[in-house]
């Protein structure tokens, strides 16, 4: 048993009419890499591929498929540890709050 707050006590942004879609894309990106040798260029390309923030745009989409479409999680207005937040999952100790000057 957990001490989770009752969701009904909180203002929730249900985002009516909004859905989230996840696509799987297989494609091609072409870039120019400046290097002194093929080995150096290959090493730079490997580093680029491992970058979490790849930041390059797809030149050509070879294959695109829809993984899923669903409703987004509702976002609850809470005060957690004295800080105003908007969260998708309530935790023990969360206190309901009203919208502030920024709205929801």
């Amino acid at each position: 048993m957990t001490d989770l707050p009752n969701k009904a006590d909180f203002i929730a942004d249900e985002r009516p009419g909004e859905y989230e879609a996840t696509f799987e894309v297989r494609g091609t990106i072409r870039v120019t890499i400046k290097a002194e040798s093929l080995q150096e260029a290959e090493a730079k390309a490997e580093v680029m591929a491992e970058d979490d923030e790849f930041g390059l745009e797809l030149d050509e989409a070879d294959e695109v498929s829809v993984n899923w479409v669903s409703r987004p999680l509702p976002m609850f207005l809470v005060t957690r540890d004295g800080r105003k937040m908007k969260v998708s999952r309530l935790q023990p100790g969360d206190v309901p709050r009203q919208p502030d000057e920024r709205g929801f």
Side-chain angles (χ1 to χ4, degrees), residues 35-91:
E36 296 297 318
S37 67
L38 177 60
Q39 292 78 14
E40 182 184 353
E42 288 172 341
K44 287 182 176 184
E46 288 295 330
V47 169
M48 291 172 70
E50 293 171 4
D51 188 358
D52 288 339
E53 298 177 19
F54 196 60
L56 298 174
E57 292 186 23
L58 203 60
D59 289 328
E60 186 175 318
D62 301 324
E63 184 179 327
V64 178
S65 61
V66 177
N67 283 353
W68 56 267
V69 177
S70 69
R71 294 272 303 131
L73 292 173
M75 299 299 287
F76 299 98
L77 291 180
V78 304
T79 299
R80 181 180 290 169
D81 299 325
R83 293 179 33 216
K84 292 179 178 181
M85 301 177 145
K86 187 163 73 166
V87 300
S88 59
R89 291 187 172 81
L90 296 173
Q91 294 182 358

